[in-house]
Amino acid sequence: DTTVKQNPRYKLARVGKPVNLICSQTMNHDTMYWYQKKPNQAPKLLLFYYDKILNREADTFEKFQSSRPNNSFCSLYIGSAGLEYSAMYLCASSAGHANTEVFFGKGTRLTVV
Amino acid sequence: QQKVQQSPESLIVPEGGMASLNCTSSDRNVDYFWWYRQHSGKSPKMLMSIFSNGEKEEGRFTVHLNKASLHTSLHIRDSQPSDSALYLCAASMGNYAQGLTFGLGTRVSVFP
């Protein structure tokens, strides 16, 4: 099963409130990623876990947190949502070593109001 | 400025025709290119990847890579309505997984 599952598919959040998005994969992949996709923009890598090590992109370092309690699950946490966080959030996973296929989930569409 | 540039933005192709998509990276550190296809409401799915100079063919799909110019192209022959989708080009690099850098995509519409 090459499936990456994301919950929920749609989420509505209030400005200033926290948001937690969930992702799971059963492929025993070492690496899990979170991407943000806004309309008319390319998917942008926010952060990734290689095993238990979290790597966050420099320009989104303070905006997003993540946790990976076990190999299969990974969450994306926004402490205080702003309007600019409205986007599609794509979770993905790969076998971890360089240049292996990255498998994507269907995404969670977050709308902040 | 996008590090991965794709062209054209959109393409309309008659059924049975050829679709040609282009992608160039401005980051000389990349060493792998990927083509993903995303149908509406679905997750992006990897179509083809290439890291060596030259050409690679899988069924109706052919991908070319010129490493000197960091340019890759995807060609779809005998296009079918089911090929209508967003095609994303991505580049990667390094000795361990660091994620993909995507372009904006090319939207392909195949009409019967």
Side-chain angles (χ1 to χ4, degrees):
Chain A
D1 180 11
T2 55
T3 303
V4 177
K5 288 186 166 54
Q6 292 189 242
N7 286 299
R9 292 293 310 277
Y10 300 92
K11 186 158 184 76
L12 185 67
R14 297 286 183 191
V15 168
K17 297 298 186 185
V19 176
N20 198 44
L21 308 180
I22 303 293
C23 177
S24 66
Q25 50 89 15
T26 54
M27 296 172 277
N28 201 31
H29 281 167
D30 302 285
T31 308
M32 293 185 75
Y33 312 83
W34 282 99
Y35 287 82
Q36 181 190 63
K37 170 82 171 71
K38 292 185 175 182
N40 302 317
Q41 294 184 23
K44 176 180 164 47
L45 180 66
L46 298 176
L47 53 86
F48 66 95
Y49 264 99
Y50 174 67
D51 195 14
K52 292 181 172 51
I53 301 168
L54 175 62
N55 298 270
R56 287 186 285 178
E57 293 295 291
D59 58 344
T60 55
F61 189 86
E62 293 176 347
K63 294 185 176 182
F64 299 94
Q65 292 284 345
S66 184
S67 67
R68 192 176 186 188
N70 57 52
N71 178 269
S72 301
F73 288 87
C74 189
S75 66
L76 181 70
Y77 181 75
I78 300 166
S80 177
L83 295 175
E84 71 276 16
Y85 286 88
S86 293
M88 175 71 83
Y89 289 87
L90 293 165
C91 176
S93 70
S94 71
H97 51 279
N99 300 322
T100 56
E101 183 179 349
V102 178
F103 294 85
F104 284 84
K106 290 185 178 179
T108 294
R109 184 169 295 284
L110 173 66
T111 303
V112 182
V113 295
Chain B
Q1 175 80 16
Q2 286 284 130
K3 283 191 175 180
V4 175
Q5 299 272 0
Q6 289 187 247
S7 65
E9 286 184 17
S10 61
L11 195 55
I12 300 175
V13 184
E15 185 174 0
M18 171 78 85
S20 294
L21 291 67
N22 296 293
C23 174
T24 303
S25 171
S26 59
D27 185 346
R28 297 219 66 85
N29 293 311
V30 303
D31 52 17
Y32 234 90
F33 286 87
W34 309 81
W35 286 94
Y36 277 77
R37 182 166 71 178
Q38 185 176 22
H39 287 106
S40 183
K42 304 289 186 187
S43 57
K45 294 259 191 297
M46 201 270 286
L47 201 56
M48 293 186 75
S49 64
I50 189 164
F51 67 94
S52 297
N53 262 331
E55 177 182 300
K56 186 174 165 183
E57 182 178 328
E58 289 179 7
R60 297 183 295 109
F61 300 90
T62 302
V63 63
H64 294 264
L65 176 61
N66 180 325
K67 293 194 86 167
S69 60
L70 294 177
H71 177 261
T72 179
S73 57
L74 174 70
H75 306 272
I76 310 170
R77 62 176 172 79
D78 189 24
S79 295
Q80 302 297 309
S82 57
D83 294 327
S84 296
L86 179 68
Y87 289 78
L88 291 162
C89 174
S92 65
M93 60 183 172
N95 296 320
Y96 62 96
Q98 295 187 58
L100 302 171
T101 301
F102 282 94
L104 286 169
T106 293
R107 185 161 296 282
V108 174
S109 301
V110 181
F111 62 92

